Amino acid sequence: MKPRRKIAVIGAGLGGLAASIRLASAGADVTLFEKNSHAGGKLHNVKLGSHNFDFGPNTITMPEVFRNLLADAGENPEEYFHFDRLETHTKNVFSDGSFFHFSADADRTEEEIAALDPDSALGYRTYLEEVRNLYLKAEKHFLYRTFRSWRDYLSLPLAKALFGVKPLTGLDRFHRKFFPDPRVRQAFNRYATYIGSSPYMSPATFALIGHLELNDGVYFTRGGNANIAGGFLRAAEKLGVTVKLNTEITGIQTSRGKASAVTTDQEESLDVDGIVMNGDLLTQVPALIRREDRTRLTDEKINRFNPSVSAFVILAAVSTRFDLHHHHVFFSSCYKEEFAGIFDRQSYADDPTIYVCTSSKTDSSLSPDGDNLFILVNAPPLPSGKTENVDRDAYASRVFERLHQRGIDINSALVHKKTVTPGDLARNFYAYRGALYGIASNRRSDTFLRPFNQSADLKNLFFAGGSTHPGGGSPMVVLSGRNAADALLSELEKD
Ligand SMILES: Cc1cc2nc3c(=O)[nH]c(=O)nc-3n(C[C@H](O)[C@H](O)[C@H](O)COP(=O)(O)OP(=O)(O)OC[C@H]3O[C@@H](n4cnc5c(N)ncnc54)[C@H](O)[C@@H]3O)c2cc1C
């Protein structure tokens, strides 16, 4: 009988938790290291007084990805978390005061679009069909597999599939085909931000997010989305994973082209047969692996990757209930200018699009004494090699002022406030330049040619998370953890 494989997983974000569950259920001896005191990485609960907030993912799609991970490991997902579908999930409000809702009830969304612009409603059903097809193609060819080297792109079926997902059309251009009204288009173009990119640069491939939200639906995890991370942690421990919180990996030792051990800031060393790195590979490869051991993924190569958007977040605990939807978006007057500011000039918008998630609208017990407003404004990632350029109190006041102009007077009801900047995301999670989703998908090369899931330098080192395949966002990183675990096990089988 072969000895159990000893695997270290670096980082207990959703990707690392998923990899650990998958590896342990296949019989590996797994140790999961997390530098922070909580599991879940960017997804975690924040408590301000009696107000509970989900930090990180607020919009959950593809619930089957989370459930299947547990079911395939022999666990009953219902014992870990429960998802409720929010049928009419998002209120889109435009700068002229007009609005419509996104709903998985197609009749309702179609009617509301028609009230704004009848011509834009005409294309809605065709749009839903097209984005469903886009999603099905991506699911078949890209989501449930790793990309380990250039050779993976050379198969004819994959090349055909690539052309089938509209890589050469821009997202905004794709949406113009269906929605002549600029307000309606602005709401659909926002999907580019779900992968941290600009609708004026990213490929139409990502219109598939429209399928997830509008055909399938948006979900909320009962008790808060952080319960996904809590459930994964419990399942990992039950399956025998050794979880070491407050333990940072400080180095990866190598021997003959392979990773052989990891060292921690607790002066421990663990010999390993393989590693899944969930911490952002663009910061952690240079931090943990000596230059002479990584001649293929050099600092120069890493610095060429463009980070996704970052965020300026305000958690506002208020003493009242506002007239807000669970997901509520106040759009700016000029979307194009906002993205040009973020990506071309690395500047914060004076009139930003403001996303407010108020999960207490669905479950008031999360904040019994008033609403829990998670307010997010897209922000430029940290400038390369420079320090953060935002005054957090001044910018938070600016955002509150803009919300006041839209009828939401936060200052008069504010009990607690916490701000999180791109610099905080870089420090707390070692996110590459504070990015939310790893690498941006503004260039085709960044969308389809992300860093591979397998290290070209160390054959038993695999990557999971937003900077590798299949991409950023909570279901995608769970898939990447699962895919990386399977690929590592099959690599170790070769020995
Ligand atoms: C404000 C915000 C809003 C978001 N909104 C959404 C949303 O609505 N929907 C959605 O799907 N996604 C959303 N996302 C993105 C989503 O949170 C991420 O895609 C996902 O959580 C990333 O998971 P991950 O496992 O790749 O990485 P992370 O969550 O970053 O986990 C990596 C972990 O590795 C740890 N680590 C790094 N280096 C080391 C080391 N050397 N030793 C030990 N530990 C280490 C880090 O501390 C971290 O805990 C949002 C993100 C943010 C920040």
Side-chain angles (χ1 to χ4, degrees), residues 4-10 15-32 69 72-73 236 239-241 274-277 462 464 481-490 492:
R4 286 175 79 203
R5 301 296 192 176
K6 278 184 98 163
I7 314 285
V9 177
I10 305 175
L17 287 164
S20 301
I21 289 170
R22 192 80 178 163
L23 289 162
S25 69
D29 175 3
V30 184
T31 310
L32 170 59
L69 179 83
D72 293 345
L239 290 163
V241 175
I275 296 178
V276 174
M277 183 185 282
F462 282 72
R482 168 184 184 126
N483 297 341
D486 291 352
L488 170 59
L489 290 175
S490 73
L492 295 178

Side-chain angles (χ1 to χ4, degrees), residues 10-15 33-36 40-42 55-59 247-249 278-279 284 288 313 374 376 425 428-430 436-437 465-466 472-475 477:
I10 305 175
L14 290 174
F33 296 93
E34 168 55 53
K35 75 178 188 64
N36 291 330
K42 297 187 187 93
F55 188 79
N58 282 280
T59 302
T247 309
E248 177 165 343
I249 296 294
N278 170 228
Q284 293 311 289
L288 305 183
V313 177
F374 169 98
L376 182 149
L425 294 171
N428 297 343
F429 308 108
Y430 293 162
L436 296 194
Y437 300 96
S474 50
V477 302

Side-chain angles (χ1 to χ4, degrees), residues 345-474:
R345 300 191 298 277
Q346 287 78 47
S347 61
Y348 283 71
D350 181 54
D351 172 23
T353 292
I354 306 174
Y355 163 71
V356 186
C357 174
T358 313
S359 59
S360 54
K361 293 298 170 207
T362 297
D363 180 356
S364 60
S365 71
L366 292 170
S367 58
D369 302 315
D371 279 333
N372 57 355
L373 275 55
F374 169 98
I375 303 166
L376 182 149
V377 168
N378 292 320
L382 293 176
S384 179
K386 295 192 200 142
T387 47
E388 183 147 81
N389 58 355
V390 65
D391 174 338
R392 64 175 80 214
D393 286 332
Y395 198 62
S397 299
R398 183 75 191 132
V399 172
F400 283 179
E401 210 177 293
R402 288 291 181 190
L403 283 172
H404 196 183
Q405 287 162 1
R406 305 289 190 101
I408 308 294
D409 179 7
I410 293 178
N411 279 322
S412 66
L414 191 65
V415 186
H416 300 285
K417 178 183 90 174
K418 180 182 164 82
T419 52
V420 180
T421 66
D424 294 330
L425 294 171
R427 275 184 296 276
N428 297 343
F429 308 108
Y430 293 162
Y432 178 59
R433 292 171 55 187
L436 296 194
Y437 300 96
I439 295 171
S441 296
N442 286 332
R443 298 182 302 197
R444 275 186 290 280
S445 57
D446 287 341
T447 304
F448 298 103
L449 303 178
R450 310 172 85 78
F452 298 119
N453 296 96
Q454 181 176 25
S455 159
D457 296 300
L458 306 172
K459 292 287 170 211
N460 59 347
L461 170 62
F462 282 72
F463 301 119
S467 292
T468 180
H469 291 274
S474 50

